[in-house]
Amino acid sequence: MPGTSTSWARAAAVVAVVGGLAATAVPGQAAPRAMESTHTPAAVVVARGLHNPRDVQLQPDGSLLVAEAGSGPDTPCTTPGTRCLGFSGSVYRVKGKARGRVVTGLPSQLGVRGDGTTAVNGAIQAEAARDGSYRVVYGLNGTPEIRAALGAGGEAFGTLSTTDGTLIGDLTAHEGHHDPDSANGNNEVFSNPHHFVRDGRDFLVTDAAANDLIRIHPDGTTTTEFVFPNTRLPAAAPTVGPATPAGQVQAVPTGIVRGRDGAFYLADMGGMIQGLSRIWRYVPGGTPTVIATGLTSVTDLDVDPRGNLIALSYGSRSGSPPADSGPGQLTRIDPRTGTATTINTGGRLKEPAGLSVSRGGDIYVTNHTLSTNGELLKFPARR
């Protein structure tokens, strides 16, 4: 879990990632099998002017929901090492030709790094609920104490909640009470919930900073589903920081999706080190297994019409905000064999964070996600 002294070094769209990792390429990483390129039609801009957009989710009615983390308060804080609370987050909806925000005023925090640069955290994923409200998972990149210091209105950070104020589950409290990945030798308490999915009446939520998958039960209680193991670094790689055992990097789990076979597939970012991202297959009650390796900084997953996984990489080389991690990537993965094929995006992806695949195979991606002028792109399916 990222330490408090370095927590803003990597707090950004994807994030909350492991503080202090070196932004250098790691040699000798195995690439996924059959990394051949497949072409897709040129990207179409669906929406512009999005406020630090994070995930995009296709809804049962065919609409798309984009979670916008916002921009923090109207008057930002400027002192290095501080955070301030605002209510500029929102949920943006695309339905046919109609586009606009269906929810505004969601909590949004702005953090100031030690070098004076800033990062925003807030809503990361949203989905419509049957009662007309929306379920939202909020990032935090912090501890229960850091959340409390934000003041009134900051209670939603680190939770899965509804936009009408109902708490579904508190992932940050779970981390504060249990710190499950201390079993890996990661010696600091930190939480940054990232993505969620239904499993019957329960929810499964990845926590990118806590390195675990948490189950939220209908009564709001939480249990640890499993802890993602650290990844061993090659001998030539630099030590990544005091919070992690020497020679290892934290997993940083992000995307989760249910596959056509009923299993859940999950991505980890491998500490944003080139080639260390893994894709996992998990059947509740069983043991998670790695089905694909050699990827870089995977932030989200979805399933295409043929049952293949589509993985979105935040960048193509080591590094995290504000470092340049290279262009983002899309990869198609056969879940049975682990064979991976890159999808040619024409170099359009810059700091992408979320994706969703339509029933017809169109791929939607949030782009320029560290900006209040973010965009939603569509890569049309080959017809």
Side-chain angles (χ1 to χ4, degrees):
M1 290 154 281
T4 53
S5 63
T6 56
S7 62
W8 288 111
R10 295 183 178 244
V14 287
V15 298
V17 217
V18 180
L21 292 178
T24 55
V26 176
Q29 295 306 305
R33 287 174 285 174
M35 285 291 285
E36 299 174 355
S37 178
T38 182
H39 292 274
T40 194
V44 176
V45 178
V46 177
R48 289 188 172 93
L50 301 178
H51 300 162
N52 282 281
R54 301 304 190 238
D55 195 32
V56 54
Q57 287 284 315
L58 182 69
Q59 303 301 293
D61 66 355
S63 64
L64 292 161
L65 294 180
V66 178
E68 295 178 281
S71 55
D74 293 336
T75 303
C77 44
T78 58
T79 303
T82 61
R83 307 188 190 201
C84 46
L85 174 65
F87 297 93
S88 55
S90 51
V91 177
Y92 188 97
R93 183 174 184 259
V94 176
K95 179 66 181 296
K97 295 182 178 180
R99 288 155 173 72
R101 293 179 177 90
V102 291
V103 179
T104 58
L106 299 180
S108 174
Q109 60 167 305
L110 179 72
V112 186
R113 303 183 183 96
D115 63 0
T117 60
T118 59
V120 173
N121 212 338
I124 292 180
Q125 179 187 340
E127 71 173 19
R130 291 181 179 179
D131 63 1
S133 66
Y134 296 85
R135 301 183 190 96
V136 178
V137 68
Y138 295 89
L140 174 66
N141 195 29
T143 63
E145 293 75 20
I146 287 174
R147 177 173 64 187
L150 290 170
E155 300 86 357
F157 290 108
T159 73
L160 176 61
S161 300
T162 67
T163 51
D164 63 8
T166 301
L167 174 67
I168 298 173
D170 191 335
L171 296 313
T172 295
H174 183 94
E175 168 69 1
H177 290 150
H178 303 289
D179 188 15
D181 82 331
S182 62
N184 292 345
N186 304 331
N187 59 14
E188 289 182 300
V189 174
F190 242 65
S191 174
N192 198 59
H194 209 274
H195 277 72
F196 68 93
V197 68
R198 291 299 295 260
D199 183 22
R201 298 179 63 205
D202 298 344
F203 292 92
L204 295 174
V205 188
T206 57
D207 192 320
N211 298 300
D212 51 25
L213 179 69
I214 303 301
R215 181 176 292 273
I216 301 176
H217 302 276
D219 63 358
T221 58
T222 55
T223 53
T224 304
E225 194 76 357
F226 74 86
V227 178
F228 290 77
N230 293 344
T231 298
R232 292 199 173 274
L233 291 165
T239 300
V240 299
T244 309
Q248 299 180 27
V249 65
Q250 295 179 30
V252 192
T254 50
I256 178 171
V257 66
R258 188 191 290 271
R260 292 291 181 84
D261 58 357
F264 293 97
Y265 291 85
L266 304 101
D268 73 51
M269 296 186 75
M272 297 190 84
I273 299 294
Q274 184 175 345
L276 291 189
S277 268
R278 301 167 290 189
I279 307 298
W280 299 77
R281 182 180 185 272
Y282 176 60
V283 177
T287 301
T289 57
V290 175
I291 66 160
T293 59
L295 302 165
T296 299
S297 299
V298 176
T299 66
D300 205 0
L301 290 172
D302 206 352
V303 179
D304 74 9
R306 295 185 178 182
N308 295 308
L309 298 172
I310 304 296
L312 173 66
S313 290
Y314 179 82
S316 51
R317 54 179 176 261
S318 300
S320 65
D324 179 11
S325 54
Q329 296 181 332
L330 287 171
T331 306
R332 181 174 286 107
I333 301 166
D334 185 329
R336 298 165 299 178
T337 66
T339 300
T341 307
T342 59
I343 299 172
N344 188 343
T345 59
R348 286 296 304 274
L349 297 182
K350 177 64 175 176
E351 296 163 347
L355 92 156
S356 190
V357 182
S358 74
R359 297 178 184 89
D362 298 329
I363 300 173
Y364 294 88
V365 178
T366 55
N367 203 35
H368 295 295
T369 59
L370 305 187
S371 166
T372 53
N373 193 29
E375 60 187 8
L376 177 64
L377 299 180
K378 179 175 80 170
F379 293 92
R382 289 176 295 173
R383 306 300 184 190

